[in-house]
Amino acid sequence: MNDSHRPPPPRWSERRIPEYVRKWAERTIGSADGVDPVDYLDQASALDAAIAAAWLFCPETVEYRGGIFLKRRFSSTNVDRWLEEHDLKTTQATVNLQYIGDLYPHVEFAESDDADDIQLLYALAECWYAVCTVRHPGRRIHVSTDEDADGLSPAGPSLTLWTE
């Protein structure tokens, strides 16, 4: 696990338009020139997805027994059980662990572009770091990413957070 204070910088300088946005732009407006993913969101069907994604990028957090946990993944019983055998850092990192593939269990990733998955991973990491830093001033926030370059996890890239 990467033990840096800040998440790795997102690769926005290397970003490219995702293939699905390019295809959409060519199909609907004739060209992908000057189009970006925000333009893709300017569709009625995309608004609901964007609102739901806000919950993912700006997650609710819970302070419990000295740690910070993602509310969506939090269970006091589970945290108590982990703390019986592990330290707070390990407990937070384990309870907060999120595999990108687990977010979309009903989506076939066979055609997914790994670069898009990694860009999503870094965007989530940066947002989680910023959100937790603002909500919990004075706490040292750690966000760790794992690109899973060896392909050891069927769920693919992951990220987690913990505090000191």
Side-chain angles (χ1 to χ4, degrees):
M1 190 179 305
N2 176 4
D3 191 31
S4 64
H5 177 63
R6 293 180 183 256
R11 297 178 182 172
W12 297 118
S13 62
E14 301 170 11
R15 95 180 152 175
R16 58 177 179 64
I17 189 168
E19 186 66 16
Y20 67 90
V21 173
R22 187 188 60 74
K23 287 180 180 179
W24 165 81
E26 289 172 352
R27 186 176 62 251
T28 58
I29 59 177
S31 170
D33 293 340
V35 172
D36 67 28
V38 175
D39 297 317
Y40 178 81
L41 292 175
D42 186 19
Q43 305 172 66
S45 62
L47 181 58
D48 291 341
I51 291 168
W55 288 69
L56 177 63
F57 286 90
C58 188
E60 292 181 84
T61 56
V62 173
E63 286 191 67
Y64 182 73
R65 293 186 65 180
I68 295 174
F69 300 92
L70 299 173
K71 184 176 180 182
R72 184 172 187 268
R73 304 188 60 80
F74 176 75
S75 157
S76 59
T77 304
N78 187 37
V79 170
D80 291 342
R81 193 172 328 126
W82 268 91
L83 285 172
E84 287 175 10
E85 297 184 27
H86 304 281
D87 64 9
L88 183 59
K89 173 187 169 184
T90 301
T91 300
Q92 289 176 98
T94 303
V95 171
N96 291 326
L97 180 64
Q98 179 66 68
Y99 286 96
I100 298 298
D102 287 349
L103 293 170
Y104 307 99
H106 305 298
V107 175
E108 177 59 48
F109 277 96
E111 296 182 25
S112 174
D113 185 326
D114 288 341
D116 290 339
D117 295 347
I118 299 304
Q119 187 169 354
L120 174 61
L121 177 74
Y122 284 129
L124 283 170
E126 189 167 347
C127 288
W128 286 10
Y129 177 80
V131 164
C132 288
T133 299
V134 168
R135 285 188 191 152
H136 308 281
R139 300 288 296 268
R140 189 173 168 110
I141 307 295
H142 297 269
V143 175
S144 174
T145 60
D146 180 3
E147 294 182 22
D148 195 37
D150 298 328
L152 300 176
S153 169
S158 66
L159 73 159
T160 191
L161 69 92
W162 67 92
T163 63
E164 290 183 54

